[in-house]
Amino acid sequence: IEKLRIMEEQSLLFKACESAVKRVVVKRPIGAPPLGCLSGDVSLSNNGMNGHDVVGTKLDGDGRVRKPSYDVRGSVNRWDVYISSSSVQD
């Protein structure tokens, strides 16, 4: 079930980033991993500037998902922001 959830999150995030004009914003609990990642895969830095790196999901070795471009943190929630590659060229 965990593997299915991760695959669905990866697919949803990929499609959202693919169709976004400028950015995709995902609201997450402050301690949760980014969409499409297991909890041990990545830790977001305090300043949130993560670039367009990718991380593995550790499920089957070939699942890759983008890290958020940056994040905005509140006291309970975090907003992961994925900048569209097409908006960077503008």
Side-chain angles (χ1 to χ4, degrees), residues 62-73:
D62 63 358
R64 306 293 277 175
V65 65
R66 275 180 54 183
K67 285 185 182 179
S69 301
Y70 64 95
D71 61 64
V72 178
R73 291 173 181 252

Side-chain angles (χ1 to χ4, degrees), residues 21-66:
V21 175
K22 292 188 177 187
R23 71 184 70 84
V24 173
V25 180
V26 180
K27 183 180 176 183
R28 302 285 288 169
I30 195 117
L35 277 185
C37 295
L38 294 172
S39 59
D41 284 350
V42 65
S43 63
L44 297 177
S45 61
N46 288 335
N47 65 8
M49 300 305 288
N50 292 312
H52 288 91
D53 298 332
V54 294
V55 294
T57 63
K58 298 181 184 173
L59 291 174
D60 55 7
D62 63 358
R64 306 293 277 175
V65 65
R66 275 180 54 183

Side-chain angles (χ1 to χ4, degrees), residues 5 16 64 89:
R5 181 186 63 81
R64 306 293 277 175
Q89 296 171 352

